[in-house]
Amino acid sequence: MNQLLDQARLRAVNLPSSVWSPTPRTLRRWALAAVVVNAGITVTGAAVRVTGSGLGCPTWPRCTPDSFVPVAHPEISPVNMAVEFGNRLLTFVILVVGLACLVAALRLLPRRKDLVRLAWIQPLGVAAQGLWGGLVVRSALNPVTVSVHFLISIGMLAAAVALHTRAGEGDGPPEPLVHRDIRRLGFALVAAVAVLLVAGVVVTGTGPHSGDAVASRFAFDIETVARIHADVVYLVVGLTFALVFALHITRAPAAARRAALTLLGVELAQGVIGYVQYFLAVPAFLVGLHVLGSTLVWICTLRAVYALRSRGPLESTADARDALGSATARA
């Protein structure tokens, strides 16, 4: 236990240097933190919705008309207010992590423009989410605004996964590790999963968990949209199975095969959760679990596609600094 505490203290002490004097490894860690917190807020957002806390803070940017923090309000449950305010606070965690990614990318030597561009998406995405969150509240949880709120998080999650991947590889042009048709299959899979996520938010916006009694719903038949969603699930699983099979018979690199198998496993688990929640009339707990599953499917899909190509090995920090010093001296 003491050893674990000492390690935790050492990491806390090293946090500032990991941002101000970063290495590719520490930047990758911050990118992984961005992946975790962006995935986390999708789950807490689902918790806000299934607990009916979407208007627990009825105004924006304040929580109540008179205060930025929760205060007793005769028309709002303290629990609902605490849940919604807690979700708002998590936005600041994402902002801190996003700024850490950006500063680390800017301070990394030699500077890599692609990493800086990807890192910028995190704080800018938080700003966009904050402004859009105000529209969500002012529209009384209109399902269109709520859906876009989730999809912005999915976009930020994709950027964080890209940053994590790129920070751990070289800066050369992408070299395919598999046949071009397999890569095309991977791209088709990403597109299908994106469609699946959109179909999922339509089902959510039509279903029973609106976030508040006054919130409107999509005027669709829930049975119809659920079946469309299921059809897209079959397409995604079919494409994933095809990818796993193609990688196996072509003896693709082990990392690519593992990534595809992991994706298939996550999809099957997600499918089980989806069917169980449907037949149990969409219980709140399983809704949150299903949202977590959807973010994991998205992350694993992106990881599987990135594993189909290589940009070469990552140059060591020492070598990179020496190269930068030599280039400066020649200049």
Side-chain angles (χ1 to χ4, degrees), residues 16-23 26 107 321:
S17 63
S18 71
V19 176
W20 197 247
S21 301
T23 65
T26 57
R107 296 281 301 173
R321 291 180 186 276

Side-chain angles (χ1 to χ4, degrees), residues 2-316:
N2 290 334
Q3 185 177 3
L4 292 176
L5 290 175
D6 290 340
Q7 290 177 353
R9 292 192 192 99
L10 181 61
R11 290 178 180 177
V13 170
N14 289 336
L15 275 179
S17 63
S18 71
V19 176
W20 197 247
S21 301
T23 65
R25 177 178 295 180
T26 57
L27 174 57
R28 240 187 143 211
R29 289 174 179 170
W30 280 112
L32 179 59
V35 172
V36 172
V37 295
N38 278 292
I41 201 168
T42 65
V43 179
T44 60
V48 169
R49 183 163 43 81
V50 299
T51 57
S53 305
L55 295 177
C57 287
T59 63
W60 187 93
R62 290 181 172 88
C63 182
T64 66
D66 303 320
S67 175
F68 283 96
V69 298
V71 294
H73 196 287
E75 299 178 0
I76 303 174
S77 163
V79 174
N80 291 343
M81 188 176 288
V83 171
E84 165 61 7
F85 186 71
N87 189 61
R88 291 189 182 189
L89 288 180
L90 186 56
T91 302
F92 292 99
V93 177
I94 298 175
L95 177 60
V96 169
V97 173
L99 289 174
C101 288
L102 177 59
V103 173
L106 289 169
R107 296 281 301 173
L108 185 67
L109 295 176
R111 181 181 293 183
R112 294 171 54 182
K113 293 182 179 179
D114 58 332
L115 299 185
V116 174
R117 286 193 294 266
L118 288 169
W120 265 112
I121 294 175
Q122 296 305 311
L124 292 178
V126 172
Q129 279 286 56
L131 294 173
W132 194 266
L135 182 60
V136 171
V137 173
R138 294 177 183 274
S139 68
L141 308 183
N142 181 281
V144 173
T145 61
V146 175
S147 298
V148 173
H149 204 38
F150 172 80
L151 293 176
I152 293 174
S153 290
I154 290 298
M156 292 176 63
L157 191 55
V161 172
L163 179 61
H164 179 263
T165 302
R166 293 291 291 115
E169 60 186 7
D171 210 18
E175 296 290 340
L177 299 175
V178 297
H179 191 274
R180 64 181 182 181
D181 290 339
I182 297 179
R183 290 202 69 194
R184 289 171 180 168
L185 177 60
F187 296 144
L189 178 59
V190 172
V193 173
V195 172
L196 178 61
L197 292 172
V198 174
V201 297
V202 173
V203 174
T204 298
T206 309
H209 299 290
S210 62
D212 194 273
V214 304
S216 59
R217 302 274 78 198
F218 286 127
F220 302 128
D221 177 65
I222 186 62
E223 294 281 347
T224 301
V225 294
R227 286 173 181 168
I228 293 173
H229 179 65
D231 290 341
V232 182
V233 169
Y234 294 140
L235 173 62
V236 168
V237 174
L239 289 172
T240 305
F241 182 81
L243 179 63
V244 171
F245 182 73
L247 293 175
H248 177 72
I249 63 173
T250 58
R251 297 187 178 182
R257 284 180 282 159
R258 284 196 303 269
L261 280 172
T262 300
L263 171 60
L264 182 60
V266 172
E267 288 173 353
L268 293 177
Q270 176 75 335
V272 171
I273 295 170
Y275 273 107
V276 171
Q277 74 169 4
Y278 178 78
F279 288 113
L280 293 182
V282 199
F285 171 74
L286 288 182
V287 171
L289 199 59
H290 199 59
V291 170
L292 174 61
S294 68
T295 61
L296 293 178
V297 167
W298 183 233
I299 293 169
C300 292
T301 300
L302 297 173
R303 293 291 297 160
V305 173
Y306 282 129
L308 302 180
R309 93 289 182 273
S310 172
R311 289 180 177 267
L314 179 66
E315 190 176 15
S316 71

